[in-house]
């Protein structure tokens, strides 16, 4: 599935470049010449997207929507390192109305509601007045891979790149809540950021966690990402990091924390981001009569990153396969490779454990026995012994896809 | 004495750095002051394009829609209804019908 062949859309660019040589590389900044596209290889709708470099603090990204920005991490990025560079960490906003500048001296993080003492914390309070920690964690949109839903469904048409991994630095949400003093009767904690709806009366983007989850010591108020401050489009100056849970909970430009003693009834918590309460959140298209529940934790996934659909692989010769995996809300126990369409599986070697909630590299050798069309598959089993399913997950909103990935190659 | 110690401290400092590229701990933040791109692209002209341009582009750019798959009339109706009921897009009933017709014509099942 991860066959994103980057092609130049300018019909003569490659030839022209070859003739001009390095001295003319500056001309590449001309938009007409520099425009590249990526083919996501899907049926039933537009398959190509523009590669953009127009967004602040961002490098080459797949342009899924201009405004509010949906910028996807190009898949080849995942072959390079388990940590996604900040300038290629995917971007997703619900509302276009968010600031391009934050006054760091006047910014305050409010903690209010069912607490003994309302707080208005400055960035200095958070960066210099509280214990900090690091955690590696994958930020993955619940709708990652939606473009591959069969049948297709409406929503952000992400390929496999609305996921990114980083080492996050910040303070414990628990410590901030303890400083305010949570009163008895608190049941949820609701998070809001500086983004505002465009239309009057539209629901502000808010998400809530249970009080126990909020106080588990793992949920972070992050100010750092891979050793640097957050890019604005990834939530500068502060964002919530909820290790192991879907990116929708990772509220960006976090400036408001409200402790609730009643269930959160706001649209994004009570109505949006729903999946069927069925095994693997999967149903048949057209099926009705199932209960809907919120998306919550991530589920295990794995990808081959060095071989793409349609690649040729020498037959009867040892070849290398490698890629990334993550366990979801726990670690990776094993990654297995099949070279016969899922009939048999061979273990792979896992790379260093760089954090329970982060990407883990895997690699192995394999040899395709004879010439012809072959199907490679890769399957992650997490430390809870949950493995990726081999049937095609489908639900009406295209969430939580983690079917075993398939790569079609030609043994030659 | 001090002169003898300093080079040793310098060497020790290098050794203690965990690995190249390790940055100093973040102690202050600086606003990047950026302009976030927008888009002025309109929907392709045709019956209903005024309605979709006038009602939809305030909240999201046209590529949000143009990148969607081909969907049935029922699915497009659900999308437009969700924009009105959940996201409070102030769309008149006449415009809502024109928008659904536009989407079915340009991005319906079996659309060109």
């Amino acid at each position: 599935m991860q066959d994103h062949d980057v092609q130049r859309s300018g019909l003569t660019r490659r030839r022209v470049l070859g003739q001009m040589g390095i001295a003319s590389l500056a001309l590449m900044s001309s938009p007409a010449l520099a425009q590249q596209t990526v083919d996501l290889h899907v049926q039933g709708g537009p398959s190509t997207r523009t590669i953009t470099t127009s967004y602040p603090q961002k490098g080459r990204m797949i342009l899924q929507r201009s405004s509010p920005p949906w910028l996807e991490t190009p898949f080849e990025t995942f072959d390079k390192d388990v940590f996604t560079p900040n300038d290629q960490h995917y971007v997703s906003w619900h509302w276009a109305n968010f600031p391009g500048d934050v006054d760091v001296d006047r910014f305050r993080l409010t903690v209010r509601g069912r607490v003994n003492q309302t707080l208005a914390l400055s960035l200095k309070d958070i960066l210099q007045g509280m214990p900090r920690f690091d955690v590696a964690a994958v930020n993955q949109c619940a709708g990652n891979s939606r473009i591959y839903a069969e049948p297709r469904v409406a929503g952000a048409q992400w390929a496999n790149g609305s996921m990114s991994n980083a080492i996050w630095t910040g303070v414990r949400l628990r410590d901030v809540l303890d400083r305010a003093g949570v009163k008895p009767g608190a049941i949820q904690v609701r998070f809001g950021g500086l983004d505002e709806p465009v239309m009057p009366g539209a629901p502000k983007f808010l998400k809530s966690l249970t009080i126990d989850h909020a106080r588990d010591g793992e949920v972070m108020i992050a100010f750092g990402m891979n050793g640097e401050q957050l890019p604005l489009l990834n939530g500068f100056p502060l964002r919530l990091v909820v290790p192991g849970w879907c990116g929708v909970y990772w509220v960006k430009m976090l400036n408001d924390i409200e402790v609730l003693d009643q269930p959160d009834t706001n649209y994004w918590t009570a109505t949006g981001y729903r999946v069927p309460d069925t095994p693997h959140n999967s149903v048949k298209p057209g099926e009705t009569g199932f209960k809907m529940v919120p998306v919550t934790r991530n589920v295990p996934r794995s990808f081959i990153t060095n071989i793409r659909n349609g690649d040729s692989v020498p037959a009867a010769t040892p070849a290398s396969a490698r890629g990334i995996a993550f366990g979801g809300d726990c670690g990776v126990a094993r990654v297995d490779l099949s070279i016969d369409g899922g009939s048999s599986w061979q273990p792979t070697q896992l790379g260093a454990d760089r954090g329970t909630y982060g990407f883990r590299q895997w690699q192995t050798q394999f040899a395709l026995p004879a010439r012809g069309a072959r199907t490679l598959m890769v399957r992650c089993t997490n430390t809870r012994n949950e493995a990726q399913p081999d049937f095609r997950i489908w639900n009406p909103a295209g969430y939580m896809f983690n079917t075993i990935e398939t790569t079609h190659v030609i043994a030659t | 004495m001090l002169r003898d110690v300093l080079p040793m401290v310098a060497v020790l400092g290098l050794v203690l750095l965990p690995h190249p590229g390790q940055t100093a701990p973040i102690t202050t933040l600086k606003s990047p002051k950026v302009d976030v791109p927008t888009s002025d692209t309109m929907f392709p002209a045709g019956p209903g394009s005024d309605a979709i341009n006038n009602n939809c582009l305030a909240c999201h750019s046209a590529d949000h829609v143009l990148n969607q798959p081909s969907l049935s009339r029922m699915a497009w109706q659900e999308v437009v209804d969700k924009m009105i009921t959940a996201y409070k897009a102030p769309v008149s009933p006449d415009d809502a019908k024109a928008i659904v017709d536009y989407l079915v014509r340009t991005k319906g099942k079996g659309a060109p």
Side-chain angles (χ1 to χ4, degrees):
Chain A
M1 285 298 173
Q2 57 275 20
D3 47 341
H4 306 178
D5 310 328
V6 174
Q7 293 161 347
R8 287 160 167 79
S9 61
L11 70 164
T12 58
R13 181 167 177 258
R14 194 172 304 187
R15 246 178 303 159
V16 170
L17 277 180
Q19 290 163 8
M20 291 192 303
I22 288 170
S24 303
L25 279 177
L27 289 175
M28 286 175 69
S29 60
S30 161
L33 276 177
Q35 181 146 1
Q36 292 186 347
T37 59
V38 58
D39 190 344
L40 303 173
H41 296 288
V42 288
Q43 304 289 316
S47 185
T48 59
R49 298 288 185 277
T50 302
I51 298 284
T52 181
T53 53
S54 300
Y55 283 77
Q57 303 173 288
K58 288 288 152 183
R60 298 174 74 258
M61 299 295 285
I62 299 170
L63 183 62
Q64 289 283 8
R65 180 175 70 184
S66 300
S67 179
W70 278 338
L71 310 178
E72 176 166 344
T73 305
F75 197 79
E76 63 268 21
T77 307
F78 302 118
D79 193 44
K80 294 171 186 160
D81 189 9
V82 291
F83 294 112
T84 315
N86 288 359
D87 72 351
Q88 292 194 295
H89 194 107
Y90 88 96
V91 171
S92 177
W93 289 84
H94 294 92
W95 297 117
N97 190 1
F98 60 87
D101 181 23
V102 176
D103 185 329
V104 294
D105 295 321
R106 295 180 61 183
F107 177 91
R108 293 293 182 274
L109 171 62
T110 303
V111 185
R112 63 192 174 95
R114 191 95 185 143
V115 293
N116 293 324
Q117 182 191 355
T118 297
L119 303 180
L121 299 172
S122 68
L123 291 172
K124 189 177 175 188
D125 292 333
I126 293 164
L127 270 74
Q128 299 179 23
M130 304 191 72
R132 58 175 63 186
F133 72 114
D134 292 337
V135 65
V138 175
N139 170 21
Q140 178 185 232
C141 178
N144 194 23
S145 314
R146 181 182 286 117
I147 199 171
Y148 301 121
E150 293 177 4
R152 303 279 302 272
V153 295
Q157 298 299 306
W158 301 116
N160 291 330
S162 63
M163 60 174 190
S164 300
N165 186 31
I167 300 175
W168 306 92
T169 302
V171 299
R172 291 181 204 284
L173 174 61
R174 182 179 63 198
D175 291 348
V176 169
L177 291 172
D178 285 354
R179 185 179 285 201
V182 174
K183 285 184 174 174
I187 61 168
Q188 285 181 324
V189 183
R190 181 161 69 185
F191 306 91
L194 295 174
D195 48 336
E196 295 290 340
V198 176
M199 286 297 156
K204 179 177 169 65
F205 178 65
L206 302 166
K207 271 311 257 187
S208 298
L209 297 173
T210 65
I211 187 71
D212 288 346
H213 191 175
R215 299 190 74 257
D216 74 357
E218 289 198 329
V219 180
M220 171 191 278
I221 299 168
F223 52 77
M225 186 171 157
N226 295 327
E228 300 172 354
Q229 64 179 33
L230 308 176
L232 183 116
L233 292 174
N234 294 114
F236 180 87
L238 303 175
R239 86 176 296 175
L240 202 66
V241 167
V242 188
W245 278 41
C246 299
V248 67
Y249 290 92
W250 300 36
V251 173
K252 296 182 291 297
M253 292 191 174
L254 176 71
N255 76 330
D256 188 43
I257 297 175
E258 184 180 8
V259 179
L260 305 176
D261 60 5
Q262 298 290 323
D264 183 9
T265 57
N266 105 79
Y267 170 79
W268 301 97
T269 295
T271 306
Y273 284 88
R274 286 301 198 265
V275 285
D277 187 17
T278 56
H280 301 279
N281 307 120
S282 193
V283 293
K284 291 190 171 64
E287 187 179 341
T288 56
F290 42 84
K291 184 185 166 199
M292 298 294 276
V293 293
V295 300
T296 54
R297 67 191 186 100
N298 290 324
V299 286
R301 299 198 71 174
S302 57
F303 301 88
I304 301 175
T305 57
N306 70 322
I307 303 171
R308 308 286 181 89
N309 263 326
D311 280 0
S312 293
V313 178
T317 307
S320 292
R322 65 169 181 266
I324 54 167
F326 60 110
D329 65 340
C330 61
V332 173
R334 57 186 296 138
V335 175
D336 297 295
L337 178 77
S338 173
I339 61 172
D340 56 10
S343 298
S344 64
W345 295 85
Q346 63 185 71
T348 72
Q349 293 79 53
L350 297 181
D353 183 352
R354 308 286 296 276
T356 298
Y357 302 107
F359 287 146
R360 186 128 182 214
Q361 278 183 321
W362 61 267
Q363 61 96 27
T364 193
Q365 302 284 309
F366 69 99
L368 297 174
R371 291 182 183 182
R374 303 283 169 231
T375 301
L376 309 182
M377 303 172 89
V378 62
R379 180 183 67 195
C380 174
T381 304
N382 69 20
T383 54
R384 286 190 219 292
N385 206 31
E386 295 170 317
Q388 293 180 252
D390 59 4
F391 65 89
R392 249 194 122 67
I393 290 174
W394 189 92
N395 55 63
Y399 290 131
M400 308 302 289
F401 184 85
N402 78 326
T403 299
I404 292 170
E405 299 291 327
T406 298
T407 306
H408 299 285
V409 299
I410 309 292
T412 55
Chain B
M1 180 64 187
L2 186 62
R3 198 171 299 178
D4 295 335
V5 170
L6 274 177
M8 287 172 59
V9 171
V11 169
L12 194 62
L14 282 176
V15 171
L16 287 177
L17 281 175
H19 56 79
Q22 178 89 358
T23 48
I26 301 167
T27 54
T28 58
L29 302 180
K30 186 171 185 295
S31 176
K33 292 194 171 98
V34 303
D35 289 320
V36 180
T38 55
S39 169
D40 54 9
T41 302
M42 307 288 267
F43 286 92
S49 58
D50 283 353
I52 197 167
N53 281 326
N54 293 339
N55 284 286
C56 302
L57 298 180
C59 285
H60 59 75
S61 48
D63 50 6
H64 172 111
V65 179
L66 299 173
N67 283 337
Q68 295 298 311
S70 303
L71 299 172
S72 67
R73 176 172 286 275
M74 186 195 288
W76 279 125
Q77 185 70 55
E78 285 174 1
V79 168
V80 173
D81 288 347
K82 184 180 181 183
M83 295 296 155
I84 295 168
T85 57
Y87 302 130
K88 309 302 178 191
V91 184
S92 72
D94 283 354
D95 277 2
K97 182 176 184 312
I99 292 166
V100 172
D101 288 348
Y102 179 92
L103 292 167
V104 170
R105 185 173 61 78
T106 59
K107 297 189 70 68
K109 294 275 193 185

